[in-house]
Amino acid sequence: MKLSPRMFRKVAREEVAEQEQSNNRVMLASVANDLCDTAMSYYGDYSEQDKAREIAGNIRHNNLQNLAELLEWFELNATLNGMNVLWAENGEEACQMVEEIIEEHEVKTITKGKSMLMEEIDLANYIKSRTKTTLHEGDLEGFIALQNDTIRFNTAIPTLNLDLSEIVEILNHRQNMPHTNEASEVVDYIREFLRTKFKQADMGITGVNFAVASTGSLLLLENEGNIRWSTSAPKVHVAIMSIEKVCANLDDAFYLSSLISRNCTGQSITTYVSLLNGPAKKEEKDGPREVYVIIVDNGRSEVYLDDEFREALRCIRCGRCAVKCPVYLRIGAYPYGNPYPGPSGTVLMPLLLGLDETKHLYQACTLCGACMETCPVEIPHLDFFQRYRQLKASGDKEYEATSNIWNKMMFESIAKGMDNNKRYERALAGLRAYTKNFVTDNYIEKMPMPLASWFIARDLPEIPSQSFRAYWQEEGFRTAKEVKEDE
């Protein structure tokens, strides 16, 4: 089943009902956070860690301020390095470019590295439906998620929601893997299966962690080594990146890479760091003969041109915000309905898909701020979520936000009532009398529209029979004004 942000509430209820899975997710997230906190202690105490995040945030801010120039600089240097740089306005155009490359080089087998952008543009399904090419997912956990016909559950740990027995059952059903209770045997089986696919591949497709403008290089981070198979064994390598992935120089790229690994897997550095500088030279035995870099916009340039929302493109895809988010930890990835579950996607997807399409994402946020506290590039998540809610309440054509007339009238009435003391007191008295019809055991558990949705997962204590001010006066306490007058 293809998920969508519009299905958020339905899928979230189903996921919350899986209590054991939810508890396991919270437990694993706690372990991941401990590892990441330990890795971040490399920078020193909390104030020093904040300085590191500030530096990274400034790097990303500067990259975005000079994005157009950096992309042109990267294209020039990458072309001089022998790469073919292509520009795609949207996901459909990027997929068509890949299809043309497949046809040009008569590709029969493809191995694919982990890439959230490829999932965003649904490249894998496009290749399967439009070409006769066989596509293999090269990432270990991505391979398991593919066999399960699901999206990745987490940026760093795509199968965070599955235990060993579930993984074994999936692979037994889809790949006839023998039953086992040993994780190492599962890894060995997948390794042997994929090794032959890597050797047979005519094309490798990967994402890009950072594109370095000053050198025309591609920086890729991984822990399994499978991406290196995809970039070196096939005769053709296609790298797909979104426009915000560009960095000015190697110093910036490596500084950000250090923060990715420390906030993604709790490592000081990922096991494999690859710096690709173009196709293999004539005297080199290994490496692709052709390298293509497809730079995908897919709505991001409109975000970039908006000064208010440009900083949404800062994200370096470490996934730390998700494992700190109480909403994500309870509902998991599937309700988000996009490749970027958690706060990072809740920042980006409303700008790409529209505020109506994604309203449940930013309205579900508790505004606790855990994502902002740990974000290694200081994205102001809460500022975005609150602004999205404002636009949704008032309506906005540019970002496809349709205001609900009843909600708008209700909040306008509340604002007018709270602006005047007498109106406020009368409204509160009326509300107190009205809500008595819905009180059960001193709690209000449900009410009719427009408040019905609020009570689906919440209740409210019975409104006191008198206001605090009336109680204060009844008990004979004096107001601050009365005390001051006596003095």
Side-chain angles (χ1 to χ4, degrees):
M1 178 177 65
K2 187 174 177 61
L3 298 174
S4 161
R6 285 187 177 272
M7 301 168 65
F8 182 93
R9 287 168 59 177
K10 175 181 180 297
V11 181
R13 289 193 197 102
E14 295 171 356
E15 292 298 306
V16 169
E18 299 288 342
Q19 191 63 48
E20 183 177 353
Q21 187 180 98
S22 179
N23 291 339
N24 288 339
R25 191 159 53 240
V26 172
M27 179 188 68
L28 290 171
S30 177
V31 174
N33 280 312
D34 286 343
L35 291 172
C36 292
D37 288 340
T38 301
M40 283 298 291
S41 66
Y42 160 82
Y43 294 104
D45 60 20
Y46 290 122
S47 62
E48 294 299 320
Q49 292 175 34
D50 287 341
K51 288 180 182 178
R53 294 187 183 98
E54 182 181 359
I55 292 171
N58 288 336
I59 289 173
R60 291 300 289 146
H61 175 77
N62 292 334
N63 290 340
L64 292 175
Q65 292 300 109
N66 301 285
L67 186 61
E69 293 81 1
L70 291 178
L71 287 169
E72 290 179 359
W73 192 16
F74 168 75
E75 180 184 27
L76 173 63
N77 287 324
T79 303
L80 292 174
N81 287 342
M83 301 184 192
N84 303 288
V85 180
L86 308 174
W87 299 81
E89 183 177 351
N90 51 48
E92 178 70 19
E93 190 172 329
C95 291
Q96 290 173 357
M97 289 177 176
V98 174
E99 183 181 8
E100 291 170 3
I101 296 170
I102 290 172
E103 292 176 354
E104 180 182 347
H105 294 279
E106 300 179 345
V107 173
K108 299 293 186 296
T109 305
I110 298 174
T111 55
K112 170 185 166 296
K114 182 169 70 174
S115 167
M116 298 170 81
L117 178 62
M118 281 191 257
E119 294 180 27
E120 178 186 329
I121 65 177
D122 204 17
L123 177 62
N125 285 328
Y126 183 95
I127 291 174
K128 291 176 183 177
S129 63
R130 297 289 292 269
T131 74
K132 296 180 180 180
T133 307
T134 302
L135 178 69
H136 296 285
E137 175 64 60
D139 173 64
L140 173 66
E141 292 192 276
F143 175 82
I144 297 169
L146 182 66
Q147 303 307 308
N148 198 31
D149 292 327
T150 58
I151 62 174
R152 298 173 189 273
F153 209 81
N154 178 265
T155 304
I157 314 172
T159 56
L160 178 66
N161 59 317
L162 301 175
D163 60 27
L164 178 60
S165 63
E166 291 173 312
I167 292 171
V168 170
E169 189 64 34
I170 291 166
L171 295 178
N172 174 262
H173 176 67
R174 297 298 294 270
Q175 294 293 334
N176 293 319
M177 187 190 79
H179 280 283
T180 177
N181 295 321
E182 297 295 329
S184 59
E185 293 180 6
V186 176
V187 174
D188 288 342
Y189 177 86
I190 297 176
R191 180 188 292 117
E192 286 301 314
F193 177 86
L194 290 177
R195 185 64 59 92
T196 58
K197 310 306 177 187
F198 286 128
K199 291 179 179 178
Q200 297 168 358
D202 306 305
M203 176 191 288
I205 307 179
T206 71
V208 175
N209 288 100
F210 296 108
V212 184
S214 63
T215 61
S217 308
L218 303 176
L219 182 64
L220 280 69
L221 308 175
E222 58 169 330
N223 279 313
E224 297 173 18
N226 292 339
I227 290 179
R228 285 193 175 178
W229 270 103
S230 296
T231 61
S232 59
K235 62 183 179 181
V236 180
H237 171 214
V238 177
I240 301 181
M241 58 173 277
S242 50
I243 60 173
E244 75 273 20
K245 290 287 188 172
V246 70
C247 273
N249 52 57
L250 285 170
D251 286 346
D252 287 355
F254 282 120
Y255 191 88
L256 294 172
S257 297
S258 176
L259 281 165
I260 287 180
S261 56
R262 294 177 192 280
N263 287 279
C264 185
T265 55
Q267 299 167 276
S268 58
I269 188 172
T270 53
T271 308
Y272 297 93
V273 178
S274 301
L275 193 64
L276 309 180
N277 292 296
K281 297 179 173 59
K282 291 182 179 180
E283 65 274 13
E284 294 176 332
K285 293 182 179 180
D286 299 319
R289 302 299 127 178
E290 294 284 348
V291 175
Y292 295 85
V293 182
I294 301 178
I295 302 175
V296 184
D297 186 325
N298 211 33
R300 287 167 172 78
S301 60
E302 294 181 15
V303 178
Y304 170 74
L305 292 173
D306 191 321
D307 292 338
E308 183 178 12
F309 293 133
R310 179 179 298 171
E311 298 303 316
L313 300 177
R314 276 194 194 190
C315 185
I316 56 177
R317 305 283 176 256
C318 68
R320 184 74 192 279
C321 57
V323 294
K324 293 290 286 188
C325 175
V327 177
Y328 171 86
L329 292 179
R330 282 302 173 190
I331 68 174
Y334 301 147
Y336 291 88
N338 69 78
Y340 311 100
S344 63
T346 305
V347 168
L348 179 63
M349 299 315 289
L351 301 174
L352 300 183
L353 301 180
L355 296 178
D356 285 344
E357 179 73 17
T358 59
K359 64 180 181 180
H360 297 305
L361 306 188
Y362 54 84
Q363 289 175 349
C365 175
T366 65
L367 303 181
C368 70
C371 48
M372 285 181 60
E373 292 174 2
T374 54
C375 179
V377 290
E378 295 191 321
I379 295 175
H381 298 78
L382 300 193
D383 292 347
F384 284 100
F385 302 155
Q386 290 172 322
R387 183 57 177 148
Y388 296 160
R389 292 177 180 184
Q390 290 172 354
L391 292 175
K392 177 60 180 169
S394 60
D396 185 87
K397 289 184 178 180
E398 182 179 359
Y399 289 105
E400 301 178 16
T402 305
S403 174
N404 183 307
I405 186 63
W406 296 109
N407 285 348
K408 191 173 183 179
M409 290 172 60
M410 180 178 69
F411 285 115
E412 286 178 350
S413 298
I414 292 173
K416 288 180 180 178
M418 296 185 73
D419 190 49
N420 181 280
N421 187 54
K422 290 184 178 179
R423 282 201 297 262
Y424 176 77
E425 292 291 347
R426 286 198 299 269
L428 193 60
L431 183 63
R432 186 179 293 114
Y434 177 68
T435 57
K436 282 187 177 297
N437 300 315
F438 306 98
V439 174
T440 304
D441 295 331
N442 300 320
Y443 276 89
I444 304 170
E445 297 180 346
K446 62 180 180 179
M447 286 187 70
M449 291 297 291
L451 298 174
S453 296
W454 195 90
F455 285 92
I456 289 176
R458 308 174 182 87
D459 52 27
L460 186 72
E462 178 183 3
I463 299 176
S465 58
Q466 61 180 162
S467 69
F468 178 77
R469 184 187 296 272
Y471 167 78
W472 188 269
Q473 293 174 342
E474 185 179 284
E475 294 296 319
F477 296 116
R478 295 188 301 165
T479 65
K481 182 178 180 182
E482 291 171 337
V483 172
K484 190 174 182 180
E485 288 175 350
D486 289 345
E487 292 176 350

